[in-house]
């Protein structure tokens, strides 16, 4: 498909999705909202973790920081400023975390990022209890579901655009090389540390914004709500299911899994975590490179 | 003209093991020099310290008069030093052409787009992989992987090329092709440090060689003469008998 055709098609889909809330019941707008949030999270996650294969469980650390920033600042300044502040804080946190952890290899990185989310939650709780004497905050912003949805849809489109642009740039090639063999990449002239840090920061900033934009949905926010580790796991599973190395992979994984999770959490609320875990294992074993890669393999196999 | 590569008093220890002990030598521009020695004598370790893969424990590496001792590998690459790895290391998620594009995009110049693709094809043709750019590296034969390793090194447009047993494991006809290729580079004025066990290749390519044993330089000079020296023969035979 030519690039122009693909763009025209994507733009058309975007318009349809943007108009949808005007025609569908509020409940379904809510579903679309949640789905768009996860599509963005999974795509942003894969931006860094896909090519580099650094499996990050820090998603909810940044997501939560975004949401909590809005909870703290929403009455102090105009909304666009609040979003900017959230993005800035997420970026700064990502820089610090990136500089201190991107030298860690493999499983140490996974464990550290998981610990980070918990650490951030504890620090925020401690601060609220001991310094500000508030536990839980209210978000008073005049947004309905569809307003939040539109913001997320715009962010999703921008995220996919960034992912597409990186994929065809020098940066994208360098990232894939880093994922394959850091030593070889460095000897080819790639500043490995800088490139990993850059992508980690871009990815984390987008994730922070997803949290910030979604904050008004809760009206009441406390650390245990916005720093829920399930968010990190769901993001990871969605990106892996679709294939974290491809532009559309995370989206392809996020849409069906979000619907499945919605249904599961309503129908089997007590067994949700177990099913999530089993699904994770299944995906890793059956199609470690994701559905899209699996389909390609099957098609090639069929032809051969 | 000053030396292309100047190594002085280089040292490296791994725990209690002295892998490289006070090694010094010089390469003039356009020279192809052999770095020889039995297994474990420290040749690859010297190369790793030149390319920035390993920090040295003392001594200095100068390339084109610039001190690169403490440079990180990507800075060294941009300074005009490229290398191949003793065990080939193709990047498996990249296509053959992309392996070469990487060095073109991040080497001494920033080639990208149409121009870079043409240059990649040119480098691939030079090593004998013309028209193979779209292939997966996993499907390449051993010699073709070696060719790709060379193409990727050349694509960063180096002035100094470090070849770590690049000719090892080739059959006689492939070896001939490999030697021709290095001679071709020599004709273009490339300075090459050639780590090699195959004497036929050393005799054909290197006017001069440096012999290491147990981390130290034990001989240095004109190839034909050096390879006759008793100390050199003893170092190799001793190794063979071990
Ligand atoms: N990263 C490392 N850690 C510990 N020891 C090492 C390391 N790299 C090399 N050595 C040791 O240093 C010594 C020199 O190794 P080196 O690889 O430089 O030898 P070489 O001359 O290249 O040998 P070969 O001809 O087998 O490639 C060997 O004893 C080796 O075991
Ligand atoms: Mg070696």
């Amino acid at each position: 498909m030519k690039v122009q055709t693909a763009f025209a098609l994507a733009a058309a889909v975007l318009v349809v999705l943007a108009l949808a809330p005007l025609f569908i019941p509020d409940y379904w707008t809510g579903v679309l909202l949640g789905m768009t949030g996860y599509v963005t999270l999974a795509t942003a996650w894969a931006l860094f973790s896909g090519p580099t294969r650094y499996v990050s469980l820090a998603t909810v650390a940044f997501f939560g920081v975004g949401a909590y920033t809005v909870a703290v600042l929403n009455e102090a300044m105009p909304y666009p400023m609040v979003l900017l502040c959230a993005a800035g804080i997420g970026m700064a946190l990502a820089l610090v975390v990136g500089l201190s952890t991107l030298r860690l290899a493999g499983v140490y990185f996974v464990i550290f990022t998981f610990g980070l989310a918990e650490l951030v939650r504890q620090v925020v709780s401690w601060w609220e209890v001991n310094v500000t004497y508030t536990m839980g905050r209210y978000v008073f912003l005049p947004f309905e579901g569809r307003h939040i949805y539109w913001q997320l849809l715009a962010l999703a489109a921008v995220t996919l655009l960034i992912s597409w642009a990186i994929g065809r740039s020098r940066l994208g090639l360098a990232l894939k090389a880093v994922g394959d063999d850091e030593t070889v990449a460095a000897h080819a002239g790639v500043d490995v540390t800088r490139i990993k840090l850059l992508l980690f920061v871009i990815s984390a900033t987008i994730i922070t914004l997803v949290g910030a934009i979604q904050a008004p949905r809760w009206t009441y926010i406390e650390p245990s709500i916005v720093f829920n580790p399930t968010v990190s796991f769901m993001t990871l599973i969605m990106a892996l299911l679709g294939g974290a190395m491809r532009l559309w992979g995370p989206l392809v994984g996020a849409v069906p899994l979000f619907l499945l999770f919605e249904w599961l959490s309503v129908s089997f609320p007590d067994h949700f975590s177990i099913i999530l875990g089993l699904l994770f294992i299944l995906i890793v074993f059956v199609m470690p490179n994701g559905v899209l890669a699996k389909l390609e393999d099957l098609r090639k196999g069929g032809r051969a | 003209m000053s030396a292309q590569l100047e190594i002085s008093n280089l040292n490296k220890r791994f725990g209690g093991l002295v892998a490289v002990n006070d090694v010094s030598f010089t390469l003039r521009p356009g020279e192809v020099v052999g770095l020889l020695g039995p297994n474990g004598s420290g040749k690859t370790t010297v190369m790793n310290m030149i390319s920035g893969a390993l920090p040295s424990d003392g001594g200095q590496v100068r390339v084109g008069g610039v001190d690169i001792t403490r440079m990180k590998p990507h800075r060294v690459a941009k300074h005009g030093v490229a290398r191949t790895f003793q065990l080939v290391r193709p990047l498996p998620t990249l296509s053959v052409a992309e392996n070469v594009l990487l060095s073109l995009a991040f080497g001494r110049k920033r080639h990208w787009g149409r121009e870079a693709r043409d240059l990649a094809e040119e480098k691939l043709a030079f090593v004998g992989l013309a028209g193979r750019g779209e292939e997966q590296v996993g499907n390449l034969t051993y010699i073709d992987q070696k060719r790709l390793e060379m193409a990727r090194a050349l694509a960063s447009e180096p002035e100094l090329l470090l070849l770590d047993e690049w000719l090892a494991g080739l059959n006689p006809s492939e070896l001939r092709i490999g030697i021709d290729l290095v001679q071709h580079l020599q004709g273009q004025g490339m300075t090459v440090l050639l780590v090699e066990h195959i004497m036929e290749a050393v005799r054909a390519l290197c006017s001069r060689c440096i012999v290491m044993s147990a981390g130290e330089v034990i001989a240095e000079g004109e190839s034909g003469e050096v390879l006759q020296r008793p100390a050199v023969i003893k170092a190799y035979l001793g190794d063979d008998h071990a």
Side-chain angles (χ1 to χ4, degrees):
Chain A
M1 196 167 15
K2 293 250 305 257
V3 176
Q4 286 91 332
T5 327
F7 264 98
L9 204 66
V13 171
L14 194 63
V15 169
V16 171
L17 284 172
L19 293 177
L22 305 178
F23 303 100
I24 60 178
D26 283 350
Y27 170 78
W28 284 105
T29 300
V31 171
L32 271 183
L33 186 164
M35 193 191 289
T36 311
Y38 270 106
V39 165
T40 317
L41 285 179
T43 306
W45 182 89
L47 216 50
F48 169 75
S49 293
T52 63
R53 298 178 213 181
Y54 275 68
V55 174
S56 164
L57 286 176
T59 308
V60 82
F62 295 104
F63 178 90
V65 162
Y68 215 84
T69 305
V70 174
V72 173
L73 295 180
N74 75 90
E75 287 175 296
M77 49 178 86
Y79 180 67
M81 282 299 294
V82 177
L83 280 191
L84 265 177
C85 279
I89 293 171
M91 204 181 268
L93 180 65
L95 264 174
V96 173
V97 171
L99 280 172
S100 54
T101 61
L102 287 176
R103 280 165 221 276
L104 295 178
V107 73
Y108 297 102
F109 181 79
V110 183
I111 293 168
F112 181 90
T113 54
F114 183 66
L116 175 77
E118 196 51 29
L119 178 75
V120 172
R121 181 169 80 92
Q122 296 290 351
V123 168
V124 171
S125 302
W126 179 88
W127 182 267
E128 294 287 57
V129 170
N130 293 293
V131 180
T132 59
Y133 306 109
T134 43
M135 199 58 196
R137 287 170 180 272
Y138 290 90
V139 181
F140 296 113
L141 284 166
F143 292 149
E144 288 170 41
R146 61 173 192 275
H147 300 122
I148 299 172
Y149 167 66
W150 283 326
Q151 294 177 54
L152 279 178
L153 196 62
L155 184 63
V158 170
T159 306
L160 281 164
L161 204 62
I162 291 176
S163 174
W164 173 80
I166 288 178
R168 39 184 286 143
S169 69
R170 292 163 80 238
L171 186 60
L173 183 61
L175 273 173
K176 282 208 279 177
V178 167
D180 275 347
D181 189 330
E182 288 191 11
T183 306
V184 169
H187 280 88
V190 176
D191 188 342
V192 174
T193 315
R194 207 175 88 188
I195 261 180
K196 285 194 296 194
L197 188 64
L198 178 67
L199 260 289
F200 187 68
V201 169
I202 294 176
S203 161
T205 306
I206 296 169
I207 290 171
T208 310
L209 277 172
V210 176
I213 292 171
Q214 289 207 26
R217 263 188 107 193
W218 282 290
T219 54
Y220 174 76
I221 283 184
E222 57 174 43
S224 63
I225 297 176
V226 292
F227 291 102
N228 178 355
T230 312
V231 174
S232 298
F233 285 105
M234 285 186 33
T235 303
L236 170 78
I237 296 174
M238 288 166 170
L240 290 185
L241 174 69
M245 294 279 280
R246 285 149 202 272
L247 173 61
W248 298 108
L251 180 143
V252 166
V255 170
L257 278 185
F258 178 80
L259 294 173
L260 179 70
F261 291 150
E262 275 286 292
W263 177 68
L264 284 177
S265 61
V266 174
S267 314
F268 309 94
D270 300 334
H271 303 101
F272 181 68
S273 315
I274 298 178
I275 297 172
L276 194 69
L278 287 176
L279 206 66
F280 179 62
I281 293 169
L282 194 75
I283 290 170
V284 170
F285 274 98
V286 178
M287 34 197 175
N289 295 318
V291 169
L292 293 182
K294 190 85 185 169
L295 285 177
E296 215 163 78
D297 286 351
L298 289 177
R299 226 178 28 196
K300 273 188 201 147
R303 252 188 282 143
Chain B
M1 207 173 178
S2 68
Q4 182 66 46
L5 171 67
E6 194 177 353
I7 287 178
S8 30
N9 312 101
L10 213 52
N11 282 289
K12 184 74 198 178
R13 319 173 60 95
F14 295 111
L17 175 83
V18 182
V20 172
N21 188 9
D22 209 26
V23 165
S24 305
F25 60 83
T26 316
L27 265 62
R28 288 188 297 274
E31 247 190 331
V32 178
V33 173
L35 180 59
L36 280 56
N39 293 118
S41 54
K43 306 178 297 291
T44 298
T45 307
V46 167
M47 237 175 217
N48 282 338
M49 288 189 283
I50 300 171
S51 76
L54 275 178
S56 69
D57 294 337
Q60 207 185 39
V61 181
R62 297 173 77 84
V63 170
V66 178
D67 184 355
I68 63 159
T69 318
R70 258 162 274 285
M71 274 190 196
K72 293 223 219 145
H74 71 273
R75 303 284 333 151
V76 175
K78 289 195 200 300
H79 188 64
V81 180
R83 69 174 290 178
T84 62
F85 292 89
Q86 185 166 352
L87 300 170
V88 289
R89 288 167 91 158
L91 301 168
T93 60
L94 272 52
S95 68
V96 168
E98 284 174 330
N99 266 268
V100 180
L101 278 172
L102 181 73
S103 293
L104 283 164
F106 290 89
R108 299 182 68 197
K109 309 213 180 76
R110 301 158 131 256
H111 298 291
W112 194 245
R114 170 101 240 136
E115 182 212 11
R117 280 199 299 279
D118 292 346
L119 280 170
E121 183 51 37
E122 198 178 288
K123 302 289 175 198
L124 286 173
F126 179 74
V127 299
L129 290 174
R132 310 273 303 273
E134 297 310 310
E135 286 183 35
Q136 295 295 301
V137 294
N139 297 336
L140 294 182
T141 59
Y142 185 65
I143 176 158
D144 286 343
Q145 291 188 15
K146 290 235 156 193
R147 287 179 154 134
L148 178 60
E149 190 87 3
M150 173 70 96
R152 192 174 59 204
L154 293 177
S156 61
E157 304 182 319
E159 284 178 351
L160 171 64
L161 185 61
L162 311 171
L163 298 180
D164 197 351
E165 302 194 27
W166 184 69
L167 296 161
L170 304 184
N171 68 33
S173 62
E174 292 167 345
L175 182 64
R176 195 58 248 166
I177 297 171
I179 290 175
D180 284 348
L181 227 137
V182 179
Q183 270 168 343
H184 203 112
L185 288 173
Q186 189 172 19
Q188 297 175 354
M190 181 82 75
T191 314
V192 182
L193 182 62
L194 185 86
V195 167
E196 206 42 84
H197 284 301
I198 304 168
M199 288 308 150
E200 185 194 338
V202 174
R203 287 203 185 85
L205 293 168
C206 310
S207 51
R208 213 154 56 81
C209 53
I210 296 148
V211 186
M212 290 180 69
S213 178
E216 301 188 20
V217 174
I218 57 162
E220 181 175 356
E222 188 265 320
S223 295
E225 184 261 323
V226 162
L227 296 174
Q228 307 280 320
R229 286 194 206 169
V232 173
I233 293 166
K234 187 161 156 265
Y236 267 93
L237 287 182
D239 183 65
D240 280 355
H241 287 227

